[in-house]
Each structure stands twice: as structure tokens, then as C-alpha cells.
Amino acid sequence: MTRIAIVEGDGIGHEVIPVAQKALAVLHPEYEFFPVGVGYGRWEQTGCPCADRDIAELKTADAVLFGAVTTPPMKDYQSVVLRIRKALDLYANLRPVKGEGFDIMIVRENTEGLYSGIEETGPDRATTLRVVTRTGTWRIVRAAIRLAQQRQGKLTIGHKANVLKSDVFFRDICIAEAEKAGVSYSDKFIDALSLDVLQHPQAYDVIVTTNIFGDILSDVASYLIGGLGLVPSANIGDRYALFEPVHGSALDIAGKNIANPIAALRSAAMLLDHLGDTKGAVRLESAIGQVLASGIRTRDLGGSAGTREFGDAVIRALGQRA
Ligand code: NAD
Ligand code: IPM
Ligand code: MN
């Protein structure tokens, strides 16, 4: 029995995740789905956004489908998604950006770097410790190399080694591993890389980078394909896996049935792929493509279809191809 944990989270998570869950249920009527109600909404109701038992429950699933959670900029609030990534040791955050003539896979280190959680706020100074470890770097670059070998065989290392010693460390480990594996590689400063990805997306295959740089680069690169409504992600560890759109809870558009569910649907496709159903993943991706080609689009892409209507069209397209 395949069990999928469903975390809608907050904001548009409540709208896009039901669409993605429905697509999974059509492709796999035998899947069992169970909700896990973590997020800011839970915090408002109970004062606790995510309990230890929620983490334990997530660990019982074969995979997690996750919407987005609101992270208010409050002093002592811990982001639920960051807690889950750390607790499940989901060290590889894979963010594909694929369009006409280019196919980029951003491999973001997901457990350390500037997200170490080692922070201090004093009256006149606040610090965050940027931690880059040998083990953390080794495992993320190995994941990136494995992907590059299955794809076009090209690795780009994004860093800021001109300024940060921690990135000299990161870059050198990445280069050593790429040479050992015989993968063709280059490296670029992350600021220049961010522009070059937009100007020459066809030049890139797999990009490996540290946590915060991967966070920013993936939002930037979403511009290539029409924005945040379209980019999915996989958070993968050695034992657990969680799939979520790159976008957040988008409170500015929440509750209006206008959010684009494609990022959530594509995240569901990545989930299928991870569970070994490559065919189902391709079917779902092509159903999305078919609906877009028919001119049905949500507002962010210049159309007028609602979240649910777009989702229904994808379900119909899946049915036609069955
Ligand atoms: P956001 O990604 O939620 O939204 C940025 C902009 O993109 C907004 O204008 C929004 O309307 C638009 N957008 C996002 N998704 C869309 C979609 N599917 N369809 C159409 N338009 C879409 O980022 P934000 O506004 O900076 O953050 C809002 C909240 O979400 C914050 O609390 C933030 O911390 C949180 N967040 C959570 C996650 C996560 O849970 N993984 C990721 C990013 C942000
Ligand atoms: C993302 C988000 C998260 C991150 C936030 C909400 C903690 O921006 O998944 O891209 O910074 O990783
Ligand atoms: Mn982000």
C-alpha cells in the first residue's frame, strides 16, 4: 500500500494541493492519502505550527505532497518547512526549470549554509552563521553529479568564492568530486550566474549551489517559463522525500481560485517519478502540456481559467489518454 502524506499548509496550498492530489488519485486509485495539518493556520489555532507527532507521521509516508506554509517574520517562529527538511534530512532540493530549448536542474543544498539555524540577536547586532560542511557538500554534489550523468553531463557550480571562505570550501569539494567522476564542469559567481541563466538558459544542465543561493536562483529562473506558478521541486534525502511547488503560500491571491496549480501538479509528477512510476509522471506532464496548448491558462499566464477549472481540464486530459 502506497501512503502519501498531504500537507496543504496555508494560503494557496489549500487550493493547489487538492488539484494535485486529485491527479494522483486518478492515476493511482490504490494510493492512500492522509492529511497532516501543519502550518501557520495550526499555530493560530493551537499555538504550535508543527508538533513532534506530525514529524513522526510524515515519516510513515512513502512520500509527502506539500503545498506551502506561511512563515511570518516573527522573532521566535520557526519555519515549518525548514523544520521538516531538517527533521527528515531532505538534503537535496531539486528544482527543474524546463522550457523550449533549455532544461535546467537546480540542485540546492537544503540543510545547512545560511540556513544553519545558528543565530543570535543582541541589542546592536544580529548574526547568522553560514555553515558549509564537507559531508553536506559531498552529498549534494554527489546527487548533482548523478543527475548530470543521467542528463547532458554538464555541471555548473554556483558560489561566491571571491568573498566567502565557506564557498571556497564548497567550490573546491565540488570540483574535486566532478573531476573524480569525469563530469564536465564549470563554476561561476552566483550573481553573474543568475543573469547568465536568464540570458543563455540553453548553456546550462545541472547547477549545484548552496542553500540560500539556490533559493534565490530558482525564483529568478522561474522567469524563463512564466513565473512561480510553474516550478515544482523535490526534497530528497536518503530515507524520505517531499514534493512541493517552489512558490509560497501567496496570501495576496489566496482564496480566490486564481492560483496556478501547475507547480503543484508538476510536483506530483516528480513524486510519481520518485516512486518509480515514470510513465505516470510523463502522462501527467503531457496532460498539463495538452491543456496549455489548448489555450486554457490561469491568470498569471494571461488566461482566465480558475485553479479548479485548470485542474479539471488536466483531469479530463488524463482521462483521454488513459
Ligand atoms: P510567494 O511565492 O508566495 O508569492 C510571490 C508572488 O508570486 C506573489 O505575488 C504570488 O501571488 C505569486 N504566486 C506564487 N505562487 C503562485 C501561483 N501558484 N499562481 C499564481 N501566482 C503565484 O512568495 P512570498 O509572497 O514572498 O511569500 C508568501 C509566504 O509564503 C511567506 O510567508 C513565505 O515565507 C512563504 N513561503 C513558503 C514556502 C514554502 O512553504 N515552501 C516557499 C516560499 C515562500
Ligand atoms: C522555498 C522558501 C523557503 C526557503 C522559506 C519559506 C523558508 O522560500 O522553499 O523556496 O527559503 O527555503
Ligand atoms: Mn524560496
Side-chain angles (χ1 to χ4, degrees), residues 12 66 68-71 228-229 244 246-250 252-253 259-260 300:
I12 62 168
F66 189 97
V69 288
T70 299
T71 309
L228 279 174
E244 60 171 343
V246 163
H247 65 69
S249 53
D252 54 335
I253 58 164
N260 191 337
D300 53 316

Side-chain angles (χ1 to χ4, degrees), residues 80-91:
V80 168
V81 70
L82 294 188
R83 172 158 180 216
I84 294 172
R85 286 175 189 159
K86 278 203 179 160
L88 274 57
D89 200 24
L90 305 171
Y91 60 85

Side-chain angles (χ1 to χ4, degrees), residues 58-217:
L58 292 174
K59 286 184 176 174
T60 69
D62 293 288
V64 181
L65 181 65
F66 189 97
V69 288
T70 299
T71 309
M74 286 187 313
K75 207 164 148 266
D76 294 319
Y77 189 94
Q78 192 197 12
S79 162
V80 168
V81 70
L82 294 188
R83 172 158 180 216
I84 294 172
R85 286 175 189 159
K86 278 203 179 160
L88 274 57
D89 200 24
L90 305 171
Y91 60 85
N93 192 327
L94 315 182
R95 299 185 156 191
V97 181
K98 189 174 171 179
E100 220 158 289
F102 61 88
D103 183 352
I104 304 170
M105 179 64 85
I106 297 169
V107 178
R108 167 189 180 189
E109 200 292 319
N110 216 24
T111 55
E112 54 181 40
L114 207 55
Y115 288 61
S116 68
I118 306 172
E119 307 194 280
E120 216 174 85
T121 304
D124 302 311
R125 200 174 89 130
T127 53
T128 298
L129 195 66
R130 186 179 200 264
V131 178
V132 178
T133 66
R134 181 172 295 284
T135 311
T137 304
W138 180 83
R139 64 185 185 173
I140 195 66
V141 73
R142 285 298 311 155
I145 288 169
R146 275 195 302 275
L147 279 165
Q149 286 167 335
Q150 292 157 19
R151 295 163 49 99
Q152 303 164 48
K154 265 195 304 192
L155 182 71
T156 304
I157 307 155
H159 60 79
K160 192 76 181 173
N162 47 344
V163 179
L164 303 170
K165 294 282 179 284
S166 48
D167 258 9
V168 173
F169 186 80
F170 180 82
R171 180 200 60 193
D172 290 351
I173 293 171
C174 289
I175 289 178
E177 287 304 319
E179 284 184 347
K180 222 189 276 172
V183 159
S184 118
Y185 70 88
S186 60
D187 71 299
K188 252 193 173 37
F189 298 129
I190 192 70
D191 45 358
L193 175 60
S194 301
L195 176 61
D196 201 52
V197 159
L198 297 187
Q199 290 180 322
H200 307 106
Q202 68 288 348
Y204 294 92
D205 177 18
V206 175
I207 300 175
V208 66
T209 190
T210 52
N211 207 335
I212 190 85
F213 293 158
D215 176 41
I216 298 168
L217 184 64

Side-chain angles (χ1 to χ4, degrees), residues 10-11 39-50 70 72 74 77 251:
D10 301 305
Y40 183 57
R42 163 84 80 76
W43 180 86
E44 286 181 311
Q45 284 167 4
T46 68
C48 169
C50 176
T70 299
M74 286 187 313
Y77 189 94
L251 297 174

